[in-house]
Amino acid sequence: TYTGNSNVQMQGSWILYNITSLLCDKHPSATTTIAQDQPLHVPAVASLAAPTPPAPSSTSTTCQPQHTFPNHLFSINLVSDVQNQIRSSGGIQAILNTLQAYEGSASLQEINLKTLSILARRNEVNQQLIGYSTDENYAISGIGLILNAMRQHHTNQGVLNAGCQALRFLGFSRENRVLIGDLEGIQVLVLVLKR
């Protein structure tokens, strides 16, 4: 609904990133256990996100949550639940749409590439949907959008790092590795290495 509003897109992108960044191994709450009767709901976590997020880092793609969340919200098997809930809620498609609509915005490209990399981590279904699928709801090639972002923002270290990280996790799928090669992704990666 708000695809044309870059402020709404930035807020939504930061909320998704903050939710997914909590799933990283480096986040101290990622291994906290809770009682089985305390399920985590993505909207509950999203409501905790700050209304004005800080600017994305241009030098780091490590998992660095921007906000502190209460430990009681996390369980040890949270990762796949949140990844799957974001997918089933149309979050992957929303991220791909944002990458396509705001290809000139380095900050939106960086934060969404970081989120894609976390969603693809150890999740074969998400790897397929992000990479490429013939399903009409996921017709946009995420790998193509990642490579386009890296080409267009070839001087932005944050975008390049985030793109490399996303390709790393997507590359665990054989089909995605073939697509990366077909879309001249190897050449893009070689250019990044030469920087």
Side-chain angles (χ1 to χ4, degrees):
T1 305
Y2 296 99
T3 304
N5 186 324
S6 62
N7 290 330
V8 172
Q9 292 299 319
M10 184 60 83
Q11 292 294 325
S13 296
W14 270 101
I15 289 171
L16 279 175
Y17 174 68
N18 282 324
I19 291 169
T20 57
S21 69
L22 296 169
L23 307 178
C24 294
D25 292 340
K26 294 181 181 180
H27 191 277
S29 298
T31 56
T32 303
T33 58
I34 60 170
Q36 292 295 330
D37 61 347
Q38 297 178 357
L40 174 100
H41 299 286
V42 169
V45 176
S47 70
L48 297 172
T52 306
S57 164
S58 61
T59 59
S60 174
T61 60
T62 58
C63 296
Q64 296 177 355
Q66 301 300 316
H67 308 288
T68 302
F69 296 87
N71 284 344
H72 69 274
L73 290 176
F74 302 94
S75 69
I76 199 153
N77 58 1
L78 177 64
V79 176
S80 63
D81 291 343
V82 173
Q83 287 176 324
N84 295 338
Q85 189 171 357
I86 289 172
R87 181 185 66 244
S88 65
S89 300
I92 290 175
Q93 187 62 46
I95 292 169
L96 298 179
N97 288 343
T98 300
L99 287 172
Q100 185 176 46
Y102 293 92
E103 61 185 7
S105 170
S107 56
L108 274 169
Q109 295 295 307
E110 179 182 351
I111 197 64
N112 282 290
L113 293 178
K114 287 180 178 182
T115 304
L116 284 181
S117 71
I118 298 169
L119 290 174
R121 188 175 185 200
R122 298 185 186 126
N123 191 309
E124 293 179 12
V125 175
N126 285 356
Q127 289 168 6
Q128 178 188 2
L129 294 178
I130 294 167
Y132 180 77
S133 175
T134 56
D135 184 316
E136 63 182 271
N137 294 322
Y138 293 94
I140 300 171
S141 167
I143 290 173
L145 293 172
I146 292 166
L147 293 171
N148 286 343
M150 294 173 73
R151 287 183 188 107
Q152 182 157 349
H153 301 282
H154 61 91
T155 60
N156 185 302
Q157 196 64 43
V159 172
L160 295 177
N161 289 345
C164 287
Q165 186 76 346
L167 292 174
R168 171 189 175 202
F169 290 120
L170 290 169
F172 282 98
S173 158
R174 182 187 176 283
E175 292 81 8
N176 285 345
R177 288 194 302 272
V178 171
L179 186 57
I180 290 168
D182 289 347
L183 295 175
E184 300 181 355
I186 304 302
Q187 291 90 322
V188 173
L189 293 171
V190 168
L191 290 175
V192 170
L193 289 172
K194 290 180 177 179
R195 287 189 48 77

PDB file of all heavy atoms in Angstrom, residues 11-26:
ATOM      1  N   GLN A  11      11.074   2.444   7.506  1.00  0.00           N
ATOM      2  CA  GLN A  11      10.608   1.971   8.812  1.00  0.00           C
ATOM      3  C   GLN A  11      10.323   0.468   8.777  1.00  0.00           C
ATOM      4  O   GLN A  11      10.745  -0.278   9.668  1.00  0.00           O
ATOM      5  CB  GLN A  11       9.343   2.731   9.240  1.00  0.00           C
ATOM      6  CG  GLN A  11       9.568   4.192   9.548  1.00  0.00           C
ATOM      7  CD  GLN A  11      10.437   4.404  10.775  1.00  0.00           C
ATOM      8  OE1 GLN A  11      10.371   3.641  11.730  1.00  0.00           O
ATOM      9  NE2 GLN A  11      11.261   5.439  10.745  1.00  0.00           N
ATOM     10  N   GLY A  12       9.595   0.027   7.754  1.00  0.00           N
ATOM     11  CA  GLY A  12       9.285  -1.398   7.634  1.00  0.00           C
ATOM     12  C   GLY A  12      10.529  -2.240   7.464  1.00  0.00           C
ATOM     13  O   GLY A  12      10.651  -3.330   8.033  1.00  0.00           O
ATOM     14  N   SER A  13      11.483  -1.743   6.685  1.00  0.00           N
ATOM     15  CA  SER A  13      12.732  -2.468   6.470  1.00  0.00           C
ATOM     16  C   SER A  13      13.508  -2.613   7.768  1.00  0.00           C
ATOM     17  O   SER A  13      14.059  -3.682   8.063  1.00  0.00           O
ATOM     18  CB  SER A  13      13.596  -1.740   5.429  1.00  0.00           C
ATOM     19  OG  SER A  13      12.951  -1.730   4.172  1.00  0.00           O
ATOM     20  N   TRP A  14      13.538  -1.556   8.566  1.00  0.00           N
ATOM     21  CA  TRP A  14      14.252  -1.630   9.845  1.00  0.00           C
ATOM     22  C   TRP A  14      13.559  -2.568  10.819  1.00  0.00           C
ATOM     23  O   TRP A  14      14.214  -3.279  11.587  1.00  0.00           O
ATOM     24  CB  TRP A  14      14.425  -0.243  10.450  1.00  0.00           C
ATOM     25  CG  TRP A  14      15.697   0.384   9.991  1.00  0.00           C
ATOM     26  CD1 TRP A  14      15.845   1.335   9.020  1.00  0.00           C
ATOM     27  CD2 TRP A  14      17.019   0.071  10.443  1.00  0.00           C
ATOM     28  NE1 TRP A  14      17.178   1.632   8.841  1.00  0.00           N
ATOM     29  CE2 TRP A  14      17.919   0.870   9.704  1.00  0.00           C
ATOM     30  CE3 TRP A  14      17.526  -0.807  11.387  1.00  0.00           C
ATOM     31  CZ2 TRP A  14      19.291   0.814   9.901  1.00  0.00           C
ATOM     32  CZ3 TRP A  14      18.904  -0.864  11.580  1.00  0.00           C
ATOM     33  CH2 TRP A  14      19.763  -0.050  10.836  1.00  0.00           C
ATOM     34  N   ILE A  15      12.241  -2.570  10.818  1.00  0.00           N
ATOM     35  CA  ILE A  15      11.517  -3.485  11.709  1.00  0.00           C
ATOM     36  C   ILE A  15      11.848  -4.930  11.356  1.00  0.00           C
ATOM     37  O   ILE A  15      12.183  -5.735  12.226  1.00  0.00           O
ATOM     38  CB  ILE A  15       9.999  -3.223  11.653  1.00  0.00           C
ATOM     39  CG1 ILE A  15       9.676  -1.895  12.352  1.00  0.00           C
ATOM     40  CG2 ILE A  15       9.223  -4.375  12.292  1.00  0.00           C
ATOM     41  CD1 ILE A  15       8.248  -1.434  12.168  1.00  0.00           C
ATOM     42  N   LEU A  16      11.778  -5.267  10.069  1.00  0.00           N
ATOM     43  CA  LEU A  16      12.114  -6.639   9.658  1.00  0.00           C
ATOM     44  C   LEU A  16      13.563  -6.978   9.983  1.00  0.00           C
ATOM     45  O   LEU A  16      13.867  -8.087  10.437  1.00  0.00           O
ATOM     46  CB  LEU A  16      11.848  -6.833   8.164  1.00  0.00           C
ATOM     47  CG  LEU A  16      10.408  -7.102   7.770  1.00  0.00           C
ATOM     48  CD1 LEU A  16      10.268  -7.156   6.253  1.00  0.00           C
ATOM     49  CD2 LEU A  16       9.895  -8.386   8.399  1.00  0.00           C
ATOM     50  N   TYR A  17      14.463  -6.032   9.776  1.00  0.00           N
ATOM     51  CA  TYR A  17      15.867  -6.299  10.097  1.00  0.00           C
ATOM     52  C   TYR A  17      16.052  -6.518  11.587  1.00  0.00           C
ATOM     53  O   TYR A  17      16.765  -7.426  12.019  1.00  0.00           O
ATOM     54  CB  TYR A  17      16.769  -5.166   9.607  1.00  0.00           C
ATOM     55  CG  TYR A  17      18.200  -5.362  10.065  1.00  0.00           C
ATOM     56  CD1 TYR A  17      18.968  -6.412   9.560  1.00  0.00           C
ATOM     57  CD2 TYR A  17      18.761  -4.547  11.029  1.00  0.00           C
ATOM     58  CE1 TYR A  17      20.270  -6.623   9.992  1.00  0.00           C
ATOM     59  CE2 TYR A  17      20.064  -4.755  11.462  1.00  0.00           C
ATOM     60  CZ  TYR A  17      20.807  -5.793  10.939  1.00  0.00           C
ATOM     61  OH  TYR A  17      22.084  -6.007  11.378  1.00  0.00           O
ATOM     62  N   ASN A  18      15.419  -5.674  12.401  1.00  0.00           N
ATOM     63  CA  ASN A  18      15.556  -5.823  13.848  1.00  0.00           C
ATOM     64  C   ASN A  18      15.001  -7.158  14.331  1.00  0.00           C
ATOM     65  O   ASN A  18      15.577  -7.789  15.211  1.00  0.00           O
ATOM     66  CB  ASN A  18      14.889  -4.659  14.585  1.00  0.00           C
ATOM     67  CG  ASN A  18      15.746  -3.414  14.563  1.00  0.00           C
ATOM     68  OD1 ASN A  18      16.965  -3.489  14.633  1.00  0.00           O
ATOM     69  ND2 ASN A  18      15.113  -2.264  14.452  1.00  0.00           N
ATOM     70  N   ILE A  19      13.903  -7.587  13.748  1.00  0.00           N
ATOM     71  CA  ILE A  19      13.342  -8.888  14.123  1.00  0.00           C
ATOM     72  C   ILE A  19      14.310  -9.997  13.736  1.00  0.00           C
ATOM     73  O   ILE A  19      14.631 -10.866  14.544  1.00  0.00           O
ATOM     74  CB  ILE A  19      11.972  -9.110  13.449  1.00  0.00           C
ATOM     75  CG1 ILE A  19      10.926  -8.165  14.032  1.00  0.00           C
ATOM     76  CG2 ILE A  19      11.525 -10.564  13.601  1.00  0.00           C
ATOM     77  CD1 ILE A  19       9.632  -8.132  13.263  1.00  0.00           C
ATOM     78  N   THR A  20      14.797  -9.964  12.504  1.00  0.00           N
ATOM     79  CA  THR A  20      15.659 -11.052  12.033  1.00  0.00           C
ATOM     80  C   THR A  20      17.050 -11.003  12.637  1.00  0.00           C
ATOM     81  O   THR A  20      17.662 -12.044  12.856  1.00  0.00           O
ATOM     82  CB  THR A  20      15.772 -11.050  10.495  1.00  0.00           C
ATOM     83  OG1 THR A  20      16.267  -9.782  10.052  1.00  0.00           O
ATOM     84  CG2 THR A  20      14.426 -11.327   9.848  1.00  0.00           C
ATOM     85  N   SER A  21      17.554  -9.809  12.949  1.00  0.00           N
ATOM     86  CA  SER A  21      18.903  -9.732  13.515  1.00  0.00           C
ATOM     87  C   SER A  21      18.962 -10.384  14.889  1.00  0.00           C
ATOM     88  O   SER A  21      20.027 -10.813  15.334  1.00  0.00           O
ATOM     89  CB  SER A  21      19.389  -8.286  13.582  1.00  0.00           C
ATOM     90  OG  SER A  21      18.662  -7.552  14.549  1.00  0.00           O
ATOM     91  N   LEU A  22      17.837 -10.498  15.546  1.00  0.00           N
ATOM     92  CA  LEU A  22      17.790 -11.171  16.833  1.00  0.00           C
ATOM     93  C   LEU A  22      18.029 -12.669  16.701  1.00  0.00           C
ATOM     94  O   LEU A  22      18.299 -13.348  17.684  1.00  0.00           O
ATOM     95  CB  LEU A  22      16.433 -10.932  17.495  1.00  0.00           C
ATOM     96  CG  LEU A  22      16.142  -9.476  17.856  1.00  0.00           C
ATOM     97  CD1 LEU A  22      14.688  -9.317  18.251  1.00  0.00           C
ATOM     98  CD2 LEU A  22      17.053  -9.000  18.954  1.00  0.00           C
ATOM     99  N   LEU A  23      17.945 -13.184  15.476  1.00  0.00           N
ATOM    100  CA  LEU A  23      18.119 -14.613  15.239  1.00  0.00           C
ATOM    101  C   LEU A  23      19.573 -15.001  15.058  1.00  0.00           C
ATOM    102  O   LEU A  23      19.898 -16.171  14.970  1.00  0.00           O
ATOM    103  CB  LEU A  23      17.337 -15.033  13.981  1.00  0.00           C
ATOM    104  CG  LEU A  23      15.858 -14.640  13.957  1.00  0.00           C
ATOM    105  CD1 LEU A  23      15.231 -15.066  12.643  1.00  0.00           C
ATOM    106  CD2 LEU A  23      15.123 -15.235  15.130  1.00  0.00           C
ATOM    107  N   CYS A  24      20.462 -14.009  14.976  1.00  0.00           N
ATOM    108  CA  CYS A  24      21.872 -14.293  14.746  1.00  0.00           C
ATOM    109  C   CYS A  24      22.502 -14.929  15.967  1.00  0.00           C
ATOM    110  O   CYS A  24      22.183 -14.597  17.095  1.00  0.00           O
ATOM    111  CB  CYS A  24      22.623 -13.003  14.407  1.00  0.00           C
ATOM    112  SG  CYS A  24      22.104 -12.285  12.861  1.00  0.00           S
ATOM    113  N   ASP A  25      23.446 -15.826  15.718  1.00  0.00           N
ATOM    114  CA  ASP A  25      24.161 -16.490  16.803  1.00  0.00           C
ATOM    115  C   ASP A  25      24.862 -15.494  17.719  1.00  0.00           C
ATOM    116  O   ASP A  25      25.045 -15.749  18.895  1.00  0.00           O
ATOM    117  CB  ASP A  25      25.222 -17.447  16.236  1.00  0.00           C
ATOM    118  CG  ASP A  25      24.596 -18.623  15.526  1.00  0.00           C
ATOM    119  OD1 ASP A  25      23.413 -18.910  15.791  1.00  0.00           O
ATOM    120  OD2 ASP A  25      25.289 -19.245  14.719  1.00  0.00           O
ATOM    121  N   LYS A  26      25.284 -14.347  17.182  1.00  0.00           N
ATOM    122  CA  LYS A  26      26.055 -13.384  17.967  1.00  0.00           C
ATOM    123  C   LYS A  26      25.187 -12.584  18.925  1.00  0.00           C
ATOM    124  O   LYS A  26      25.704 -11.883  19.779  1.00  0.00           O
ATOM    125  CB  LYS A  26      26.813 -12.439  17.041  1.00  0.00           C
ATOM    126  CG  LYS A  26      27.884 -13.158  16.243  1.00  0.00           C
ATOM    127  CD  LYS A  26      28.633 -12.203  15.368  1.00  0.00           C
ATOM    128  CE  LYS A  26      29.690 -12.955  14.558  1.00  0.00           C
ATOM    129  NZ  LYS A  26      30.436 -12.074  13.685  1.00  0.00           N
TER     130      LYS A  26
END
